[in-house]
Structure formats: C-alpha cells, structure tokens
C-alpha cells in the first residue's frame, strides 16, 4: 500500500478508535487494523480490506440522522436541542449532504469513499 493512502487511512482509523460516536464494532475494527499493521506492515492491504468490509453500511445516512432527531433525540437531548439539530441537518440535506457529520461517520465515509463504496 502506498504511504499516502496508508497515512490517510491511519488518520481516520485513529478517529474511529477514539470517537464516542463509534460503535464498539467500529472501534474493535479500527483497533484490529492498527494491531495488524503494527505487527506486519505488509498486512496493510488485507487489514484494510477487512476494515472496509466492516465499515460498509455503518455510517449513518443524513436521513437516519434526521429520523433520530425527529424521534429518540427529543428524549435524549431535549426538545430544544433536538429541534436545533434537526434544523441543521435538514439544511445540510438540502445542500446535498448524504451522511451524518459526526467525526466517526465522517472518518468512515472518507475511508469507504477511497474504495468506491460510497459517494461523498
């Protein structure tokens, strides 16, 4: 794997591993990638393919974020915060956003886009 791509993925894997917005499955996949490439740098291609397969389908779509803000977020965040978040996400969707903009979903979609799995 070329260094530029490796560094690009490594930066985003660090975000996925540390983000409070990442699921445990995502954190585990990110940490497994890191462990694999530290143990054997030649394993980067295989570890990356595994990571991409695990990430595929995980980032939340903009419609998923909107649905969350219209429903469960009202109780979790409060009516006002949910309404503010909803307004911001509706605006993002209107501007063409397709994905959640949290750090975890952003990192995941950027990795997936590098491998043609999603469009940004």
């Amino acid at each position: 794997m070329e260094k530029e791509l490796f560094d690009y993925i490594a930066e985003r894997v660090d975000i996925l591993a540390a983000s409070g917005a990442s699921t445990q499955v995502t954190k585990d996949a990110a940490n497994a990638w890191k462990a694999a490439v530290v143990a054997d740098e030649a394993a980067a291609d295989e570890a990356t393919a595994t990571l991409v397969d695990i990430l595929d389908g995980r980032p939340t779509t903009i419609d998923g974020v909107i649905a969350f803000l219209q429903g469960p977020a009202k109780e979790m965040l409060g009516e006002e915060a949910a309404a503010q978040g909803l307004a911001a996400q509706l605006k993002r969707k209107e501007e063409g956003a397709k994905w959640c903009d949290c750090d975890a979903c952003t990192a995941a979609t950027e990795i997936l886009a590098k491998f043609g799995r999603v469009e940004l």
Side-chain angles (χ1 to χ4, degrees), residues 1-14:
M1 173 179 297
E2 64 183 56
K3 182 173 177 12
E4 184 178 323
L5 179 59
F6 180 88
D7 291 345
Y8 182 90
I9 294 168
E11 181 180 313
R12 282 144 186 87
V13 163
D14 285 341

Side-chain angles (χ1 to χ4, degrees), residues 4 12-13 16 28 35 47-48 63-64 69 73 89 105 112 115:
E4 184 178 323
R12 282 144 186 87
V13 163
L16 292 171
D28 291 347
T48 300
D63 290 330
L69 290 165
Q89 296 303 319
C105 287
L112 290 169
F115 295 91

Side-chain angles (χ1 to χ4, degrees), residues 12-20 22-23 26-31 34:
R12 282 144 186 87
V13 163
D14 285 341
I15 293 167
L16 292 171
S19 176
S22 287
T23 65
T26 300
K27 287 181 180 188
D28 291 347
N31 286 321
K34 289 166 62 169

